[in-house]
Amino acid sequence: MRMYDIIEKKKHGGELCRDEIYEMIKLYTEDKIPDYQMSSLLMAIYFKGMTPEETSNLTDAMATSGDTVDLSMFGDRSVDKHSTGGVGDKTTLIVTPIVSAAGGIVAKMSGRGLGHTGGTVDKLESFPGFKTSLSPSEFKNQVSEIGIAVIGQSANLAPADKKLYALRDVTATVDSIPLIASSIMSKKLAAGTHSIVLDVKCGSGAFMQTPEKARELALAMVKIGKLRGRKTAALITNMDIPLGHAIGNALEVKEAIEVLRGKGPDDLREVCLALSSVMIELSCKLTQGEAEKLARETLESGKAYTQFIRWIEKQGGDVSYVENPEKFGKSKFIKEVYAEKDGYILSCNAERIGIAAVSLGAGRATKDDTIDFKAGIIMDKKPGDKISRGDVIAILHTDRENALAEAENIILSAIKISDVKTDSGKMIYDTVR
Ligand code: URA
């Protein structure tokens, strides 16, 4: 195999065969193909695309480039969920206990915050003592015992994707549907569950800014899942606005606990129930209607809340924080942001609000930054809400006094207020099966 020939073939829109793709990924992982040649191929893929067969082979080649998790002992009941990343997205904290309390097996690897988006691993680490790293046998034993475990991604999971992603990041080739789809699905295939439910976020806070693009990505990932023998479905959900009210790790955990206790914001509950239903449908082999009913009953009966407590305790987290969320503590500075005029909320740019939360300490500006778990924002208003000048539209939480003014400006510029009545918009755009 000559890398030159592969680049030349793709440059003319040709289809790479299975052996070419596997060999190339193997050699690249072993540092035997230079980055300049791989960059050239990535750019050719960006412009010429890939067929479903090529994308599926690329995904599997990356998935098998490192460790893979064997969950065959759970038969076809194991299920994973993946979100393409958002602001205020604490759905994993709510969905995984609902699904496991309903009888599904949730064995999941999650990520940390990236850029303006948050990550489940950071949120879980808000609980003192919570272990996000378990050995493979500890992970499987916990899943066998209580039906749920969520850990950070193992270092050697899909190393080819890690290398390629870093290269894409600096060669302007991130936003290619086959490359995004294969990157995400390679990690999901390696993580080993029989079923996969994808939450493809769409809007100002997401990779995919329009429902059409989000649908294209969802279809590409569902197709890969099917070609690789996994039951796969995708929901396309609204990320034009932050999900729920809370943005920032401990603030989001507290909001997730509220939902599990039967309260919390409607938009968050709606998205969580929709994701849980599809996961239950696939893992428990129920009809759509049966799964929706079971998801709702499991949440409303408190079974999911009980399961959440079991899960946090089992992974070493201090469960007294679940019963007394005020134990998460308060930031030194808590500042209200006021509406500058009367009207109706038209939009809240999720990306800008995510950036403001990072500046308050809720995320990392550089890889080595530490997170302030208490920091973040409570966004009380949503599109469609009527407001008057001087109403509180957001509350900032931080220990960084000098970050307050800039965060306030970002929030004020991120929220658009209309003189005429607006509507709240949809939370779920589509489901792709
Ligand atoms: N997330 C990933 O894991 N990969 C991409 O390419 C984009 C988002």
Side-chain angles (χ1 to χ4, degrees):
M1 183 212 82
R2 282 206 324 154
M3 190 61 184
Y4 182 94
D5 298 334
I6 291 189
I7 299 168
E8 185 70 13
K9 190 171 182 184
K10 187 44 80 184
K11 185 176 86 180
H12 293 291
E15 181 169 1
L16 306 181
C17 69
R18 186 186 183 283
D19 289 351
E20 284 170 328
I21 292 174
Y22 279 83
E23 180 71 359
M24 171 185 77
I25 291 300
K26 178 173 174 297
L27 293 177
Y28 184 62
T29 313
E30 293 167 352
D31 295 327
K32 291 182 182 149
I33 292 175
D35 280 345
Y36 57 81
Q37 282 190 309
M38 189 53 89
S39 309
S40 184
L41 178 67
L42 290 172
M43 194 55 87
I45 293 173
Y46 179 89
F47 283 112
K48 296 293 180 185
M50 286 185 123
T51 64
E53 201 61 42
E54 280 178 301
T55 315
S56 161
N57 285 329
L58 175 63
T59 311
D60 190 55
M62 294 197 292
T64 51
S65 66
D67 297 342
T68 53
V69 184
D70 177 10
L71 296 175
S72 54
M73 70 284 264
F74 302 115
D76 53 10
R77 291 199 25 236
S78 61
V79 60
D80 193 354
K81 139 185 193 290
H82 177 84
S83 156
T84 56
V87 179
D89 181 2
K90 66 282 288 173
T91 53
T92 295
L93 302 175
I94 301 163
V95 163
T96 52
I98 296 178
V99 174
S100 63
I105 297 283
V106 185
K108 179 162 171 48
M109 291 191 191
S110 283
R112 295 194 179 274
L114 191 65
H116 67 278
T117 65
T120 301
V121 166
D122 294 329
K123 296 180 217 285
L124 286 169
E125 286 180 353
S126 305
F127 285 105
F130 192 96
K131 284 187 282 179
T132 52
S133 170
L134 298 177
S135 71
S137 61
E138 284 171 330
F139 180 64
K140 284 182 212 171
N141 287 343
Q142 181 176 318
V143 176
S144 302
E145 213 177 306
I146 66 166
I148 180 172
V150 180
I151 57 171
Q153 215 166 278
S154 81
N156 196 36
L157 196 84
D161 171 64
K162 207 167 284 167
K163 251 191 113 184
L164 276 171
Y165 191 85
L167 189 61
R168 287 166 55 209
D169 206 19
V170 292
T171 55
T173 49
V174 168
D175 55 339
S176 145
I177 298 270
L179 294 179
I180 299 175
S182 56
S183 166
I184 293 173
M185 288 299 287
S186 66
K187 288 165 287 205
K188 295 291 109 183
L189 295 187
T193 57
H194 188 77
S195 302
I196 301 164
V197 174
L198 302 153
D199 180 6
V200 181
K201 300 285 184 198
C202 168
S204 62
F207 257 110
M208 298 292 130
Q209 305 261 319
T210 63
E212 295 71 36
K213 276 278 163 206
R215 192 173 158 76
E216 217 185 305
L217 177 62
L219 282 168
M221 292 196 288
V222 169
K223 183 112 204 169
I224 295 170
K226 297 249 154 87
L227 287 169
R228 305 304 332 171
R230 309 291 173 98
K231 280 203 244 169
T232 310
L235 273 77
I236 299 169
T237 66
N238 184 341
M239 190 36 70
D240 252 331
I241 53 168
L243 188 56
H245 297 305
I247 302 120
N249 300 284
L251 296 173
E252 292 191 40
V253 169
K254 286 196 250 181
E255 187 165 82
I257 293 170
E258 276 176 35
V259 172
L260 288 163
R261 282 182 174 158
K263 299 190 209 93
D266 293 342
D267 62 340
L268 177 59
R269 188 177 324 100
E270 182 188 348
V271 172
C272 288
L273 283 174
L275 287 165
S276 306
S277 301
V278 180
M279 289 173 77
I280 292 169
E281 185 186 326
L282 299 188
S283 61
C284 303
K285 295 201 212 97
L286 297 179
T287 64
Q288 190 180 335
E290 288 166 345
E292 281 169 6
K293 187 162 175 277
L294 183 55
R296 191 169 289 281
E297 277 171 9
T298 309
L299 178 63
E300 288 173 359
S301 64
K303 284 188 192 147
Y305 178 61
T306 306
Q307 179 69 344
F308 180 76
I309 295 177
R310 264 180 109 196
W311 164 38
I312 299 298
E313 187 164 35
K314 190 80 197 163
Q315 265 181 260
D318 184 343
V319 280
S320 68
Y321 282 60
V322 182
E323 304 287 358
N324 299 302
E326 60 283 5
K327 285 184 89 171
F328 285 109
K330 275 196 164 51
S331 292
K332 286 195 195 127
F333 304 98
I334 296 181
K335 186 176 191 311
E336 295 179 334
V337 179
Y338 304 107
E340 291 177 316
K341 62 176 205 165
D342 298 346
Y344 297 86
I345 303 273
L346 176 65
S347 60
C348 313
N349 184 299
E351 180 182 15
R352 307 282 302 145
I353 291 164
I355 290 170
V358 171
S359 76
L360 295 172
R364 298 177 189 81
T366 69
K367 187 160 86 16
D368 302 319
D369 280 354
T370 51
I371 282 190
D372 172 2
F373 293 116
K374 303 181 303 313
I377 304 170
I378 300 291
M379 295 286 309
D380 266 334
K381 303 292 179 199
K382 294 271 176 193
D385 286 353
K386 187 173 187 326
I387 50 159
S388 302
R389 185 166 190 268
D391 280 356
V392 176
I393 47 174
I395 306 172
L396 314 180
H397 294 245
T398 188
D399 285 351
R400 301 178 181 169
E401 189 173 14
N402 58 5
L404 285 167
E406 195 201 336
E408 179 171 5
N409 286 336
I410 298 177
I411 301 243
L412 287 172
S413 67
I415 297 181
K416 298 276 171 262
I417 298 171
S418 157
D419 294 334
V420 291
K421 198 165 171 6
T422 55
D423 69 44
S424 57
K426 280 208 279 193
M427 286 315 296
I428 297 162
Y429 296 126
D430 204 355
T431 305
V432 176
R433 288 162 199 275

